[in-house]
Amino acid sequence: MGTAGDLDDSRRQVVYHPERVGHVASTDYPGVYPGEDNSWDLEKFKEKLVVQVQRLSEKTVELDLVGVDASIANALRRILLAEVPAMAIEDVYIFNNTSVIHDEILAQRLGLVPLSIDPRALDMRGPDGPTDRDCIVFKLEVTCTYNPKSVQGEVDPSKRYRNPNVYSRDLVFAPQGDQAERFKEYPPRPANGNILLAKLRPGQTIETEIHAQKGIGSLHAKWSPVATASYRLLPHIIIRKPIPPRLCDKFAQCFSPGVIRVTQNGAGEKEVTVANPRNESMSREVYRHAEFEGMVDLTRIRDFFLFSIETAGAYPPQDLFPESIRIMRSKIQTLKYAAEKLKTPLEDDAMES
């Protein structure tokens, strides 16, 4: 894995002008620059490629992907959204529902509850119906009753009644086959237990059996394993001329907080430095002030992608990006195999002729 390279290389920069964006097209391919061989080379690609995690939390990961074309970065983003498999509720068997929520609406609300189940431990649903290898079963059985301990005149439903609200945490995992042993360490559960599904009042009951199965987001958004998966290009601010000391504070206010740092030099005069360009929103506010004309250029680095990925609960956030790469490699292998199969008959025909 290489380094981020020279950010001041104009060939890598997308230039922000006051009212337009320039240099948006990539030029790193053969024939653009006379006398230069820009054909793709694996060793050069390895030298330039950088993948570095910048921040990791329980739900999100922010990482840098450097040295690839926008088509590759966008393919990985789309795979994260639509082709990395996840578990979601597909079948809802309602045995009793006396709440005000119609059966169809209740089933829809249940289907959109994100589940914390590792899909790598299960198979896709086969043609023979659900089995313990491709299906997770939950039970939802809630009845609302009066709370005998509530005081007279109480108006708060949570104190006046028992089970006035049905939440996603009320889903109870019902192991099938050897699932109790297989999922002993991490039992299947909703990713967020505080999702309100329905409201009940005394005498109302919901009794259901729920089946979750594996799928992909291109079939339905409920199978998307990410809440968000996006990227942006790294902002790069180039100060062409020294900023007059009397204008340093105003210059810093033209950018997002923390992007420009105002310090004092050895002579006691104010000067500015670019502290954290990642935080810049590229509002181009600095271009509105005539006193800064010609002093600064705003650019983005064309092959420096800042990814932000938030898991919906099926995967740890650090596993999502490698999973998208694995699926892309699988798709490339399928395409390669199809191309080789297509090539073989053409070679046979050429030999016969």
Side-chain angles (χ1 to χ4, degrees):
M1 189 180 296
T3 61
D6 182 12
L7 301 184
D8 291 323
D9 182 358
S10 60
R11 296 183 183 181
R12 299 178 65 192
Q13 294 173 357
V14 177
V15 182
Y16 277 62
H17 300 285
E19 296 185 5
R20 65 183 180 88
V21 180
H23 296 247
V24 295
S26 176
T27 59
D28 55 349
Y29 54 86
V32 177
Y33 302 104
E36 293 188 20
D37 180 17
N38 286 319
S39 56
W40 192 84
D41 181 82
L42 179 59
E43 295 304 318
K44 291 181 180 178
F45 175 75
K46 289 180 179 180
E47 291 176 4
K48 296 180 180 180
L49 179 65
V50 176
V51 181
Q52 185 174 6
V53 174
Q54 295 294 334
R55 189 175 72 89
L56 177 63
S57 67
E58 184 180 354
K59 290 291 185 181
T60 63
V61 60
E62 294 179 3
L63 58 90
D64 297 345
L65 176 62
V66 187
V68 301
D69 189 77
S71 59
I72 302 299
N74 195 47
L76 292 170
R77 182 190 67 85
R78 290 173 64 91
I79 289 172
L80 281 167
L81 291 170
E83 297 189 57
V84 174
M87 297 293 294
I89 292 169
E90 176 68 1
D91 300 315
V92 178
Y93 301 95
I94 299 177
F95 305 123
N96 190 12
N97 176 22
T98 56
S99 72
V100 297
I101 303 291
H102 292 183
D103 292 355
E104 297 85 352
I105 304 302
L106 177 61
Q108 182 196 41
R109 293 179 68 84
L110 287 166
L112 295 176
V113 173
L115 301 177
S116 182
I117 307 172
D118 190 345
R120 294 167 291 191
L122 294 153
D123 302 328
M124 286 288 189
R125 175 71 63 86
D128 300 328
T131 69
D132 62 333
R133 295 295 166 178
D134 59 27
C135 180
I136 296 292
V137 177
F138 292 96
K139 302 283 189 178
L140 178 62
E141 299 176 357
V142 182
T143 299
C144 180
T145 59
Y146 283 103
N147 182 7
K149 295 183 180 180
S150 66
V151 297
Q152 187 175 4
E154 178 63 65
V155 295
D156 185 352
S158 64
K159 297 178 181 179
R160 187 178 183 184
Y161 312 122
R162 289 177 174 173
N163 301 324
N165 299 320
V166 181
Y167 292 100
S168 54
R169 58 175 173 265
D170 295 320
L171 294 174
V172 178
F173 172 49
Q176 308 295 310
D178 63 349
Q179 289 180 351
E181 181 63 28
R182 288 164 53 203
F183 295 100
K184 179 172 61 175
E185 190 173 356
Y186 299 104
R189 58 178 178 81
N192 185 341
N194 296 320
I195 299 174
L196 181 64
L197 300 175
K199 287 179 176 289
L200 302 179
R201 289 300 177 262
Q204 296 180 344
T205 297
I206 292 178
E207 183 182 355
T208 67
E209 181 174 299
I210 299 160
H211 292 187
Q213 69 181 57
K214 191 173 179 179
I216 56 177
S218 59
L219 298 177
H220 194 287
K222 67 183 180 181
W223 278 300
S224 181
V226 295
T228 59
S230 62
Y231 65 77
R232 58 192 178 95
L233 298 179
L234 175 72
H236 183 54
I237 302 167
I238 306 171
I239 299 177
R240 298 294 186 186
K241 298 178 182 179
I243 307 301
R246 60 184 177 83
L247 297 176
C248 284
D249 290 329
K250 182 178 181 180
F251 182 81
Q253 291 173 0
C254 292
F255 298 87
S256 300
V259 173
I260 300 297
R261 179 183 295 125
V262 180
T263 57
Q264 287 190 339
N265 57 24
E269 295 182 333
K270 290 183 178 180
E271 61 180 11
V272 299
T273 55
V274 180
N276 190 0
R278 290 173 180 268
N279 291 345
E280 175 53 27
S281 64
M282 302 300 280
S283 66
R284 292 181 270 195
E285 171 68 19
V286 70
Y287 286 155
R288 298 180 64 243
H289 303 277
E291 57 267 40
F292 299 129
E293 185 175 354
M295 293 184 178
V296 62
D297 287 338
L298 303 181
T299 69
R300 288 187 185 268
I301 306 304
R302 182 180 292 110
D303 63 347
F304 200 125
F305 301 92
L306 310 181
F307 268 84
S308 177
I309 304 169
E310 180 182 354
T311 180
Y315 296 85
Q318 65 271 19
D319 289 357
L320 283 165
F321 196 72
E323 195 69 16
S324 69
I325 294 174
R326 184 190 65 78
I327 291 174
M328 176 181 274
R329 287 170 61 93
S330 174
K331 293 164 75 72
I332 292 171
Q333 284 296 112
T334 302
L335 181 61
K336 179 182 177 183
Y337 175 77
E340 289 174 347
K341 293 290 287 183
L342 184 64
K343 180 181 177 182
T344 302
L346 294 177
E347 292 178 344
D348 293 341
D349 292 342
M351 291 178 62
E352 291 177 0
S353 60

